Amino acid sequence: MRKLLAALAFLASPTFAAPCSLTEFEGAEFTLCEVRAGEDLRLFHSDAQGGLLGSFGAVNDLLAAEGKTLAFAMNAGMYHPDRRPVGLYVENGVERAGIVTAASDGNFGLLPNGVFCIGDAGFAVIESRAFAAAPPACRHATQSGPMLVIGGKLHPRFIPGGDSRYIRNGVGVSADGQRAVFAISDDSVNFDTFGRLYRDVLQLPNALYLDGKISRLFAPDLHRSDLGLPMGPIIGLAVPRP
C-alpha cells in the first residue's frame, strides 16, 4: 500500500522535491525518476582530456567544479567493450558517435529502436530512422533499442509472459515533451511488462529501452548508489550542491 500511494503521488503531483520514488507493477518493484524540461539533465561519458568517467562518483567529481551535484543518474545506453557508445551519441551539442539504422543481433538492433533527445524546448523519444531522416537539434542525445512504446503502442516483437527477464532501465517522454520519466526495475522483468509500465501506468506515448542486466541507479534521496564495472554513457540530473 505504501508503494502504491507513492506511485499515485508521483503521477498526480506536478512538482516534488525528490526526483525519484518507488512503485510496484504486477508484483515487480520499480524506481521512477522524473525530470522536467528546463532542468539540467545531461549526458556524461568522458572528461576534458578524453578519459572515461565510467562511474557516478566520477561524474559528481566533474560537477563539483561547477558547484553542482547529481540529484540522480543511471546508465544511458549500450556500449562497446571499450565503453564507446553503440549508436548515436551527442554530448553538449557535439556528435561523438553516428546514428545506426540497420537491424542487427541483440536488443539494440531489434527494430524499431530509437533516440532520446534533450533539446532546448524539451525532450523527445524518436524512432531511429525517423530521426535520421529529419534530425532535430539535440543538446544531448543517446540511441538505444528497442523502443518500448511507439506512438502509444508496444513494440511489435514483445511477447507477453516472455522468459527473458533482467533488471532493466529506460526512459519515456510525455506527449508535450515537457516530462521525461526514467525507470529501473528492482526485480527482473521481461520487455512486455516494462513496456506496459510505460504505456499503461505512466501513460507515456513514447519510451525507449536503455539497457538491461548491467542497469544501475544513483539516487541519493533514496540512499542508493549501485556498484559495478565502469559504464559507458551516463545520464544525470545536475542540481546546485547543498
Side-chain angles (χ1 to χ4, degrees), residues 53-95:
L53 294 170
S55 70
F56 303 129
V59 174
N60 258 335
D61 290 344
L62 189 73
L63 288 172
E66 303 176 31
K68 294 192 172 185
T69 189
L70 287 169
F72 85 90
M74 63 173 54
N75 53 297
M78 299 173 190
Y79 45 85
H80 296 286
D82 63 0
R83 275 43 181 180
R84 288 181 299 112
V86 175
L88 180 71
Y89 183 78
V90 177
E91 186 176 326
N92 292 320
V94 178
E95 182 178 306

Side-chain angles (χ1 to χ4, degrees), residues 105-129:
D105 294 335
N107 292 328
F108 182 93
L110 186 63
L111 301 185
N113 58 17
V115 176
F116 174 62
C117 170
I118 304 170
D120 291 337
F123 312 112
V125 167
I126 305 169
E127 187 273 325
S128 292
R129 291 179 177 177

